[in-house]
Amino acid sequence: MAGFSMVLLDTTIVNVALGSIARDFAAGPATLGWIANAYTLVFAGLLLSTGLAADRIGARTVFVSGLAIFAFGSVLATIAPSAGALIGAQAVLGVGAALVLPTSLSLLSQVFTDASRRMRAIGVWAAGSSVAFAAGPVLGGVLIEQFGWRSIFVINLPLAALGAALVLTQVRGRTETKPTGALNLGAQAAAIAMLVALTFGLVESTGRGWGSAPVLIAVGAAVVLAAGLLVRERSTRNPLVPRELVADRRFTASTAGGALLNFAFYGELFFLSLFLQQERGLDALHTGLAFLPQPLLFMSVAPFAGRLVASRGPRLPLALGAALGAAGAFVLLGVDIDSSYGVLMVGLALGGMGGGLAVPAVTAGVMGSAPTALAGIASATLNAGRQVGGVLGVALLGGLASASGHVEASAMHTALLIAGLALVAASALAFALPAPDRAPARDLALATE
């Protein structure tokens, strides 16, 4: 839980620091988008291979290695002398996160062999993520106001040390390995290169124009790499995602729904953080406090969503949750320079309730579609899809502010409209989910609680 919480803290806490980082490095929205995206780009690109690496090397070894890399990246970020150096440090943090997230869940399965105890342990593990998600903006605001933005990376060091100490002393190393397939390092490298090229094209398109040579080259490279990966996945014996999963509409609809959720919520968080600090003049602490309704409602609704998934399956909570998130985005269209906090609070609260319903639903939809032997790669694919959605949300929606050099209300409203439409699409995808098997859904609901 210490490792998982550390990984999730970095996805939210950095957004609150963007205003301070922009002032220190004279960075515009495009550069800030890369600072936010370097972490999730690498994180998403490596997730599909880390589960298989854990099977070959052992989850304990991979987890501790991930913590060490995360701590190293945190030190690099703390001493970063420029925006470029900070982007590089964020990429290192992404490597560590990709090693920590899937193996933290694998370790629980090794330690808690009794099924009921394992379910309770997974519940605590998931609860820790909710607390980290909720604490990120406020903790970031406090640290930045008292010690500066670099302190948000220092907080990772004690968490990494705690996680490593507990695992090394309490978890035995694996005595056997299960080399069930190739690591596909070439495909992983191509996937990361495709994401980087596409992100560059989206981020830079507003400032440079879609007709500029760098943007055309980047987008063209992304298309070529995507086509190459698609051909490879169809022909290879060891595809990144097993074909039997791709053929299951529960898996594909839930994974796509998760990507759309992150696209909208990450894009909203990035844009609103900058708007509140640059245009409304809030400091980091008050920006973090302003966001509190969203994570608090997320934490409150998620347990109810687990029970709803158990009784009704994932279709209803995903459809309802995404619709509530869309309503929240449309309410946020009323936020401008002079609007009251009530408008922001209502929009964020609706988004928090929607996320609390929808996230457990997509998790149940994916895991309910996967046989036990493919549970690891199914989970990794869902998380990779969600991270890619977050990357594209920040890149595309954040790119709307690049031309002016700061976040204007009109650009933010365009971004929020796009986010709302993405959530409408996620709600529609829910109806592609068939009626689930009640028993597996009940077990999954207990885990997501």
Side-chain angles (χ1 to χ4, degrees), residues 55-78:
D55 283 341
R56 288 170 167 265
I57 303 169
R60 180 177 183 260
T61 300
V62 173
F63 180 81
V64 174
S65 299
L67 291 176
I69 293 171
F70 206 96
F72 177 62
S74 298
V75 172
L76 292 180
T78 302

Side-chain angles (χ1 to χ4, degrees), residues 62-303:
V62 173
F63 180 81
V64 174
S65 299
L67 291 176
I69 293 171
F70 206 96
F72 177 62
S74 298
V75 172
L76 292 180
T78 302
I79 63 175
S82 65
L86 183 57
I87 291 170
Q90 282 280 80
V92 175
L93 286 164
V95 174
L99 295 171
V100 167
L101 176 57
T103 49
S104 65
L105 191 54
S106 298
L107 286 170
L108 288 184
S109 298
Q110 291 183 34
V111 174
F112 298 96
T113 55
D114 177 74
S116 62
R117 293 188 69 216
R118 185 186 305 125
M119 282 295 180
R120 290 197 297 272
I122 291 174
V124 175
W125 177 82
S129 72
S130 297
V131 172
F133 182 77
V138 178
L139 177 61
V142 172
L143 290 173
I144 293 163
E145 287 301 305
Q146 296 297 318
F147 307 107
W149 65 263
R150 296 177 189 273
S151 63
I152 66 172
F153 297 103
V154 176
I155 196 67
N156 294 330
L157 301 179
L159 286 172
L162 174 64
L166 289 173
V167 168
L168 291 173
T169 57
Q170 303 297 322
V171 182
R172 293 188 214 168
R174 286 189 60 155
T175 57
E176 81 282 350
T177 58
K178 296 180 180 180
T180 55
L183 286 176
N184 295 322
L185 295 180
Q188 287 292 288
I192 294 174
M194 179 195 69
L195 287 173
V196 171
L198 180 58
T199 302
F200 177 88
L202 292 173
V203 169
E204 299 295 331
S205 62
T206 304
R208 298 174 183 263
W210 281 105
S212 67
V215 171
L216 290 175
I217 292 171
V219 174
V223 171
V224 170
L225 287 167
L229 280 171
L230 182 61
V231 171
R232 182 196 178 280
E233 288 292 284
R234 288 175 175 269
S235 60
T236 184
R237 294 181 180 178
N238 297 303
L240 289 174
V241 182
R243 294 185 182 90
E244 59 190 282
L245 288 179
V246 176
D248 191 315
R249 66 176 181 174
R250 292 174 297 170
F251 176 83
T252 52
S254 298
T255 302
L260 287 169
L261 290 172
N262 274 35
F263 173 90
F265 288 129
Y266 276 50
E268 284 182 16
L269 180 62
F270 176 82
F271 232 103
L272 285 170
S273 295
L274 285 180
F275 180 80
L276 291 176
Q277 294 180 69
Q278 292 185 351
E279 301 299 313
R280 294 286 293 258
L282 296 185
D283 57 27
L285 174 59
H286 287 89
T287 299
L289 291 171
F291 277 109
L292 261 184
Q294 189 170 72
L296 288 179
L297 267 295
F298 185 100
M299 289 172 56
S300 301
V301 170

